[in-house]
Amino acid sequence: APGRARRRRPGGRRRLAALAIFVALLELVARLATRTAPNGMPSVLGYPLLPFRPTEALIRGWQASTVGSSYVVPDAELGWCVGASGVSKNDDGSVLYTSNAQGLRAPADRVYAEQPPAGRVRVLTVGDSFTHCDDVTEGDTWQEALEAARPDLEVVNLGVPGYGTDQAFLRWRRDGGRFQAQLVLLGIWPENICRNLNLIRYYLVPTEGFAVKPRLVADGGALRLVNSPTLGR
């Protein structure tokens, strides 16, 4: 009847309450699924949240957290590299990687002579984490397995976690020549193409750190090195 107030339908209130509960549940799930990545940036189920641009304070904080590392260390020419006589440990304190005094992944007491041992072929391996053998403990790298299978070989591990092909080449050119290897193996993984185009690790993998690397660019039929030495800390 005219002038009579309309009654709200009970169904409308129920739908509104259901919507409020649904939104609250979404908020709860989002909060539970959101984590802080090791570099300090938020991520949901492993995916970084926009915007991707970190603050200077966050970058400085990450840099400060890496100062104590003795295994992977900053390198002005290569961005980062395996340090001399370094140790990397698991969360439980057990040793994961060791490097020798020459900055190679090897037992601390193993030192490679300038010339290969008599009767053995020295193989130099350069590349990324697959060459370095990330997450594999000492004694279980494929280099050591190859030596065990072929006693006539001496296999040297110059791999470095996170390297692009450009960094692997630059490390071989700087550090590899002194080992007088008869054979050099370059490990390549398809993602190295992206790494070769990248200068700042964060913009390639936003859940990781802010390490800076050099890059090779095509210039008149040759390769020109840029950003080496790398940007200062």
Side-chain angles (χ1 to χ4, degrees), residues 11-190:
R13 288 196 294 268
R14 286 195 294 268
R15 285 195 294 271
L16 185 61
L19 179 60
I21 293 172
F22 179 71
V23 171
L25 286 174
L26 286 180
E27 174 73 13
L28 178 62
V29 170
R31 288 179 180 273
L32 292 175
T34 301
R35 294 288 185 272
T36 300
N39 62 6
M41 297 293 284
S43 64
V44 175
L45 299 177
Y47 293 92
L49 295 177
L50 291 171
F52 286 152
R53 181 175 296 173
T55 64
E56 180 180 352
L58 190 62
I59 296 174
R60 295 295 183 189
W62 176 84
Q63 290 175 337
S65 71
T66 63
V67 169
S69 172
S70 65
Y71 190 79
V72 176
V73 299
D75 187 294
E77 295 179 72
L78 306 175
W80 60 91
C81 197
V82 173
S85 303
V87 177
S88 177
K89 296 183 178 181
N90 292 303
D91 292 338
D92 61 4
S94 60
V95 174
L96 180 59
Y97 315 133
T98 60
S99 61
N100 66 7
Q102 297 164 307
L104 307 174
R105 179 168 186 187
D109 58 353
R110 182 172 186 180
V111 177
Y112 296 89
E114 182 177 331
Q115 296 292 332
R120 299 181 72 182
V121 174
R122 176 174 287 171
V123 181
L124 197 67
T125 64
V126 293
D128 58 14
S129 56
F130 289 97
T131 302
H132 174 264
C133 299
D134 276 19
D135 300 323
V136 173
T137 55
E138 298 299 334
D140 292 324
T141 66
W142 61 262
Q143 289 90 344
E144 292 173 280
L146 185 57
E147 281 189 346
R150 290 285 303 269
D152 59 329
L153 299 181
E154 181 187 57
V155 190
V156 183
N157 188 348
L158 262 75
V160 180
Y163 259 20
T165 313
D166 46 10
Q167 291 168 290
F169 167 74
L170 293 171
R171 188 176 194 211
W172 167 76
R173 189 171 68 176
R174 187 189 73 177
D175 301 335
R178 59 186 168 130
F179 294 104
Q180 303 296 312
Q182 293 99 325
L183 183 64
V184 178
L185 296 181
L186 171 62
I188 298 177
W189 187 49

